[in-house]
Amino acid sequence: MAPLRISNDRDALDVDLIHGFLSREAYWSRGIPRQTVEQAIAGSLCFGGYLQGAGQVAFARVVTDGATFGYLADVFVLPVHRGRGYGKQLVASVMDHPQLR
């Protein structure tokens, strides 16, 4: 199993991939406009999961006030990469982020 690199660098996010998954694959956001996804990313603490040679394969975002509240949203691992523990790694990394402890 290849190691998953997790980053909260917003500039590294593949917005095309995120929008594509959320608008076509996720039951909770089917048909969501790209502009809405871009606004959600801009207003959230976001995490991407990356595999060498495959690019971004996972995503999560947290809506937070940075002090007392955090709502985990839009968590996914692309179907072809599921079953390898990447989702658990991603959520563990989110929960360990200093702004969310």
Side-chain angles (χ1 to χ4, degrees), residues 17-40:
L17 176 127
I18 296 164
H19 174 252
F21 184 88
L22 292 176
S23 66
R24 292 188 295 273
E25 304 289 330
Y27 68 87
W28 65 88
S29 57
R30 195 155 288 132
I32 191 169
R34 182 182 171 98
Q35 181 180 2
T36 302
V37 172
E38 290 173 355
Q39 286 179 294

Side-chain angles (χ1 to χ4, degrees), residues 1-71:
M1 176 172 73
L4 186 69
R5 181 180 64 82
I6 299 168
S7 169
N8 66 332
D9 177 4
R10 192 175 283 122
D11 293 333
L13 294 172
D14 184 340
V15 179
D16 289 335
L17 176 127
I18 296 164
H19 174 252
F21 184 88
L22 292 176
S23 66
R24 292 188 295 273
E25 304 289 330
Y27 68 87
W28 65 88
S29 57
R30 195 155 288 132
I32 191 169
R34 182 182 171 98
Q35 181 180 2
T36 302
V37 172
E38 290 173 355
Q39 286 179 294
I41 288 170
S44 302
L45 180 59
C46 298
F47 297 80
Y50 306 88
L51 291 175
Q52 188 167 353
Q56 185 173 348
V57 301
F59 176 74
R61 70 182 183 91
V62 179
V63 180
T64 182
D65 64 5
T68 63
F69 170 81
Y71 179 83

Side-chain angles (χ1 to χ4, degrees), residues 57-96:
V57 301
F59 176 74
R61 70 182 183 91
V62 179
V63 180
T64 182
D65 64 5
T68 63
F69 170 81
Y71 179 83
L72 183 61
D74 295 336
V75 180
F76 68 83
V77 175
L78 296 178
V80 70
H81 297 286
R82 292 181 185 163
R84 300 178 188 151
Y86 296 144
K88 290 179 184 177
Q89 290 176 38
L90 180 62
V91 171
S93 182
V94 168
M95 299 304 289
D96 194 43

